[in-house]
Amino acid sequence: GIQVEQSPPDLILQEGANSTLRCNFSDSVNNLQWFHQNPWGQLINLFYIPSGTKQNGRLSATTVATERYSLLYISSSQTTDSGVYFCAVNTGGFKTIFGAGTRLFVKA
Amino acid sequence: ETGVTQTPRHLVMGMTNKKSLKCEQHLGHNAMYWYKQSAKKPLELMFVYSLEERVENNSVPSRFSPECPNSSHLFLHLHTLQPEDSALYLCASSQDVSGAGGNTIYFGEGSWLTVV
């Protein structure tokens, strides 16, 4: 089956810093989503981005489908950005495969 | 607010108890899911329902019993659980199970389960 690898596994930032999270996947995908899981467990959709680039405030994402990777950019990080960021891909059907996540801690 | 509501948010149960987790979605979706998230493990898909019909039972032990009475509601009935079943249980929904482009998954807030 498809493999989804996220890097780095852990990241500590000073408030105000920028960061890039990466998601590599081993096969073609129908769709790709980025999620943020807050400390209380809630998974929030950030982007649906099977290809191209999207921006939402301080966050943006780029997926290069032909090279099988996606990047999530966080600019001017805030303490509320802390949590775990997941990349999830779907190759067809109901199975969405999640990466192991990047755990982000933003220090005040 | 994602449009998917789970109750209870926290549950502590003994190994001989019977309890249920409830999920409701207000998005008009046709597919609903149960996921399990244990410490330091990726999300594991447990069950998938499409239009109230189960389409996937991902080798889940029978002590977990799902029920989908209609396309808006999903339950996970729990009985004789083990301490290793302690985890975050997440409900999700999507428009359908096709995985087609734009078929975004929306998650509930999760139910933290502790088995003692």
Side-chain angles (χ1 to χ4, degrees):
Chain A
I2 190 170
Q3 303 297 312
V4 181
E5 295 181 353
Q6 291 187 242
S7 60
D10 298 281
L11 184 59
I12 299 175
L13 296 176
Q14 191 66 46
E15 196 169 30
N18 302 328
S19 64
T20 301
L21 281 57
R22 187 177 180 101
C23 173
N24 291 333
F25 44 96
S26 60
D27 204 348
S28 301
V29 298
N30 277 359
N31 63 50
L32 184 147
Q33 291 181 246
W34 282 99
F35 293 90
H36 174 225
Q37 187 170 37
N38 65 26
W40 298 271
Q42 172 87 67
L43 274 159
I44 302 294
N45 298 61
L46 297 176
F47 294 102
Y48 162 76
I49 186 164
S51 64
T53 297
K54 290 186 177 179
Q55 178 149 12
N56 184 1
R58 295 182 296 103
L59 302 181
S60 64
T62 295
T63 297
V64 182
T66 53
E67 297 188 22
R68 298 180 183 167
Y69 72 88
S70 183
L71 302 174
L72 178 68
Y73 305 96
I74 304 174
S75 64
S76 304
S77 58
Q78 300 176 358
T79 56
T80 52
D81 294 331
S82 296
V84 184
Y85 290 81
F86 289 101
C87 166
V89 302
N90 184 293
T91 59
F94 53 77
K95 286 197 174 176
T96 294
I97 307 300
F98 285 78
T102 291
R103 187 174 300 275
L104 173 65
F105 179 66
V106 181
K107 298 187 296 184
Chain B
E1 177 61 49
T2 63
V4 182
T5 305
Q6 287 186 242
T7 55
R9 294 295 318 281
H10 299 271
L11 177 62
V12 179
M13 61 185 289
M15 289 189 283
T16 58
N17 291 158
K18 289 185 181 181
K19 298 286 185 183
S20 297
L21 306 180
K22 178 183 175 182
C23 177
E24 183 175 2
Q25 57 97 358
H26 309 276
L27 301 169
H29 288 165
N30 293 322
M32 295 189 76
Y33 310 79
W34 280 116
Y35 282 85
K36 176 184 178 182
Q37 187 178 27
S38 304
K40 308 207 175 190
K41 284 188 175 181
L43 272 75
E44 303 171 53
L45 179 63
M46 299 176 72
F47 300 105
V48 180
Y49 277 83
S50 173
L51 295 169
E52 303 116 64
E53 181 179 339
R54 191 191 306 178
V55 297
E56 174 76 352
N57 175 358
N58 204 19
S59 302
V60 179
S62 59
R63 57 185 183 270
F64 295 92
S65 174
E67 178 190 1
C68 188
N70 55 61
S71 59
S72 299
H73 293 84
L74 185 65
F75 295 89
L76 187 63
H77 303 301
L78 315 168
H79 62 98
T80 60
L81 294 192
Q82 304 298 311
E84 59 264 30
D85 296 322
S86 299
L88 176 66
Y89 289 84
L90 290 156
C91 175
S93 72
S94 65
Q95 186 58 52
D96 56 48
V97 293
S98 69
N103 197 19
T104 305
I105 294 179
Y106 295 88
F107 283 88
E109 294 173 305
S111 295
W112 290 94
L113 172 66
T114 302
V115 181
V116 297

